[in-house]
Amino acid sequence: MTVSDQDSPQNSRAPVPDAGEFLHHHTELPTTRVSQQMDRVIAATGKAASWLWVVLTGVIIWAVVGRYAFDHGSVTLEEVQWHLAGMGWLLGLAYTLVVDDHVRVDVLHERMSLRRQGWVELLGLLFLLLPFLGLAIYEMIPYAFSSWQQGETSQAPAGLPYRWVLKGVVALSFVLLALAALSRLLKVTALLFGFPKPIPVKTGNDKKEDAS
């Protein structure tokens, strides 16, 4: 769906001329140089974190074989499993926001024009998501630091040490999510107000046409 499909005649006053050439092919929001750099960092982190699921699969197979083939259960392996699952999920949150693949429970959003969608995004980011993330970061960084100071370990026998690592990942995930939210905020303001200056982004179809 393009801008021309969504904008009605009464909403034809776009703040950015020829906005179509600036639209990201998936989010339908323009991008900026600053948001592009933020997105690269988050995308690299998300893709690196995706390998944790491969490692987790190997650990699960190892634990299952050990338990049922050799009758040897391991508390350590059980904790490794949920540590890896938690880290993979938490570090992937920001990536889903950047690529707009998070779940939207909103039957009205897709019926709105692009400008109205932009205003919904702007208000949601400013008054809901960013305040929540600011509070979460404010609470989680001291929480992880305190765990490191105490040398916190698992309370289970033969459990994992360094519990602060997982708590640190929780804090890091909120920082990355805040970075992704700021990136999206810049895209929304570029759409609504033309600031920061949007830059054109080539979609996959454009690249194919250039190659031909």
Side-chain angles (χ1 to χ4, degrees), residues 1-131:
M1 188 179 294
T2 62
V3 177
S4 58
D5 293 330
Q6 289 194 6
D7 284 341
S8 57
Q10 60 268 29
N11 293 325
S12 59
R13 293 178 298 171
V16 182
D18 299 323
E21 69 173 329
F22 298 106
L23 296 182
H24 189 287
H25 73 283
H26 186 75
T27 62
E28 297 191 2
L29 290 176
T31 189
T32 68
R33 296 194 183 280
V34 176
S35 62
Q36 231 178 23
Q37 296 301 320
M38 292 179 175
D39 291 352
R40 286 195 181 104
V41 172
I42 295 167
T45 304
K47 290 177 181 178
S50 67
W51 286 100
L52 292 173
W53 298 105
V54 178
V55 178
L56 173 61
T57 303
V59 172
I60 291 174
I61 293 173
W62 184 9
V64 170
V65 171
R67 177 178 294 276
Y68 293 101
F70 302 100
D71 195 24
H72 177 70
S74 173
V75 174
T76 302
L77 287 180
E78 290 180 4
E79 291 202 353
V80 167
Q81 290 174 41
W82 69 263
H83 275 65
L84 289 175
M87 292 168 66
W89 184 80
L90 288 167
L91 294 174
L93 284 175
Y95 180 78
T96 62
L97 181 59
V98 163
V99 299
D100 200 24
D101 273 347
H102 56 293
V103 177
R104 286 184 179 274
V105 187
D106 189 352
V107 296
L108 301 177
H109 188 270
E110 62 182 9
R111 301 174 184 270
M112 298 178 181
S113 67
L114 185 59
R115 277 184 61 81
R116 289 185 178 180
Q117 289 181 5
W119 279 107
V120 170
E121 293 275 347
L122 180 66
L123 296 175
L125 289 168
L126 288 178
F127 296 106
L128 295 176
L129 183 57
L130 285 172

